[in-house]
């Protein structure tokens, strides 16, 4: 059975991780393809979901790295734009728990320069779900263009969003101002507990879900790292535990969770339109699957989501080597 097409719109970022220097006075970096939307597209394709990535990919050295990574994972780049601007660079430092702190080099880069004409030619007839979010949805000048594209897509496709708040690049106030409009467009809102703290400081998960449901989104999923996830479907809540994981780092884990969620829903014919047939039991099963995908991602360096065959590994899920 062929699974439904998921189209992902957003950025692909060069994630540069600090590495041991070979001589005093040097800084060594290991560069891996990253960026939340790109990570989600790669994870979907590796799981077996047809994934098309709408991106503005530079022809610089990083852009060529991105294309090779995406295509080797099975992502469809037929609608990607060849951009003349440079790629976005993010330098990451990992703490003792494998969490990344980023500094961004993103001024005038390719990812944020969407025009209405570039997206107008995109055919959405076969897209069951459009996933977006992160910086491409909030950074100008392209952010408003992407938002308009989501509104057009919502007529026929399920809309999934991940705000992925990056306060070093965009003030949380900007996300807060736009989030009600996004919730009015979206069917699925997946975000981390850290995102929640930036978007609604001091607010409980339960209260935040109520706020976002009232704004229009039927399904809210808040991921909590080793504490699992909380999902709310029209106010009916479930708690999903996190499976055991041998954590190397947590980079890309949330993006893999989103991919696992969408893949599971698509495989059961639940994507496409407004999720009217979705039940809370379906949400629980999809989140359990998504949590296993995220746990496997934590076992590899950087945003390296698992392939479908790796999901057969027994728990505990051991560390993985990059492909």
């Amino acid at each position: 059975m062929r699974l439904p097409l998921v189209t992902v719109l957003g950025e692909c970022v060069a994630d540069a991780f600090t590495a041991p220097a070979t001589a005093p006075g040097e800084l060594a970096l290991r560069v891996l393809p990253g960026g939340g939307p790109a990570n989600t597209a790669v994870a979907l394709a590796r799981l077996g979901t047809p994934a098309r990535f709408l991106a503005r990919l530079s022809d610089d050295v990083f852009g060529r790295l991105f294309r090779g990574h995406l295509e080797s994972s099975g992502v469809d780049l037929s609608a990607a734009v060849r951009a003349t601007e440079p790629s976005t660079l993010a330098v990451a430092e990992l703490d003792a728990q494998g969490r990344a702190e980023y500094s961004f080099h993103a001024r005038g880069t390719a990812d944020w320069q969407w025009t209405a004409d570039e997206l107008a030619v995109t055919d959405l007839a076969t897209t069951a779900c459009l996933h977006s979010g992160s910086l491409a949805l909030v950074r100008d000048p392209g952010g408003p263009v992407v938002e308009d594209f989501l509104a057009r897509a919502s007529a026929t496709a399920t809309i999934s969003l991940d705000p992925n708040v990056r306060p070093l690049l965009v003030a949380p106030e900007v996300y807060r101002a736009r989030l009600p409009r996004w919730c009015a467009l979206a069917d699925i809102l997946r975000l981390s507990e850290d995102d929640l703290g930036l978007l609604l400081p001091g607010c409980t998960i339960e209260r935040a879900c109520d706020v976002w449901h009232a704004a229009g989104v039927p399904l809210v999923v808040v991921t909590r790292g080793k504490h699992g996830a909380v999902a709310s479907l029209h106010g009916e809540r479930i708690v999903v535990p996190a499976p055991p994981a041998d954590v190397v780092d947590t980079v890309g884990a949330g993006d893999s969770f989103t991919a696992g969620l969408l893949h599971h829903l698509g495989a059961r014919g639940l994507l496409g339109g407004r999720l009217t047939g979705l039940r809370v039991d379906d949400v629980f099963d999809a989140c359990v699957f998504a949590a296993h995908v995220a746990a496997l991602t934590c076992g590899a360096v950087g945003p390296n989501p698992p392939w479908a065959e790796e999901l057969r590994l027994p728990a505990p899920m051991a560390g993985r080597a990059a492909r």
Side-chain angles (χ1 to χ4, degrees), residues 41-246:
V42 166
L44 281 165
R46 290 184 179 185
L47 290 172
T49 287
R52 177 175 60 168
F53 189 38
L54 300 181
R56 302 185 84 259
L57 298 178
S58 176
D59 275 329
D60 64 13
V61 62
F62 297 130
R64 294 192 294 274
L65 174 68
F66 300 159
R67 284 184 177 275
H69 172 64
L70 290 156
E71 290 175 341
S72 67
S73 294
V75 176
D76 175 7
L77 295 182
S78 60
V81 173
R82 286 194 175 273
T84 58
E85 301 88 357
S87 299
T88 304
L89 174 65
V91 180
E93 289 188 278
L94 301 177
D95 65 15
Q97 286 74 46
R99 296 179 302 223
E101 291 289 336
Y102 289 95
S103 61
F104 289 91
H105 305 267
R107 180 173 297 178
T109 52
D111 299 287
W112 334 120
Q113 313 304 319
W114 285 105
T115 68
D117 287 344
E118 287 173 338
L119 288 175
V121 298
T122 303
D123 183 2
L124 294 169
T126 60
T127 293
C129 176
L130 174 62
H131 173 75
S132 189
S134 197
L135 290 164
L137 185 54
V138 73
R139 276 184 66 90
D140 293 331
V145 175
V146 173
E147 194 172 307
D148 288 344
F149 182 73
L150 290 176
R152 173 162 73 92
S154 67
T156 55
T158 301
I159 304 298
S160 166
L161 293 181
D162 174 5
N164 197 15
V165 182
R166 297 296 189 192
L168 291 178
L169 278 179
V170 179
E173 291 80 7
V174 177
Y175 291 87
R176 293 178 200 140
R178 298 187 185 186
L179 190 58
R181 297 202 303 272
W182 299 345
C183 287
L185 293 171
D187 303 288
I188 301 169
L189 178 69
R190 202 292 303 174
L191 70 164
S192 70
E193 196 169 29
D194 289 342
D195 290 334
L196 187 155
L198 291 166
L199 294 170
L200 293 175
C203 192
T204 65
I205 291 177
E206 291 76 16
R207 175 58 184 151
C209 289
D210 290 340
V211 168
W212 293 326
H213 288 322
V217 61
L219 176 59
V220 179
V221 182
V222 181
T223 49
R224 306 177 62 213
K226 66 181 180 180
H227 300 296
V230 175
S232 181
L233 179 65
H234 297 295
E236 189 173 1
R237 322 265 203 248
I238 56 169
V239 178
V240 178
D246 185 4

Side-chain angles (χ1 to χ4, degrees), residues 295-308:
L296 277 170
T297 302
C298 291
V301 175
N304 183 30
W307 296 76

Side-chain angles (χ1 to χ4, degrees), residues 3-8 40-41 44 47 49 128-132 158-161 187-190 219 255-271 275 286-287 289-290:
L3 300 181
L5 172 67
V6 175
T7 296
V8 179
T40 302
L44 281 165
L47 290 172
T49 287
C129 176
L130 174 62
H131 173 75
S132 189
T158 301
I159 304 298
S160 166
L161 293 181
D187 303 288
I188 301 169
L189 178 69
R190 202 292 303 174
L219 176 59
D255 308 319
S256 290
F257 186 102
T258 299
L261 178 72
L262 297 179
H263 172 81
H264 195 278
L265 294 176
R268 280 144 188 81
L270 295 168
L271 292 181
L275 302 180
C287 286
F289 178 82

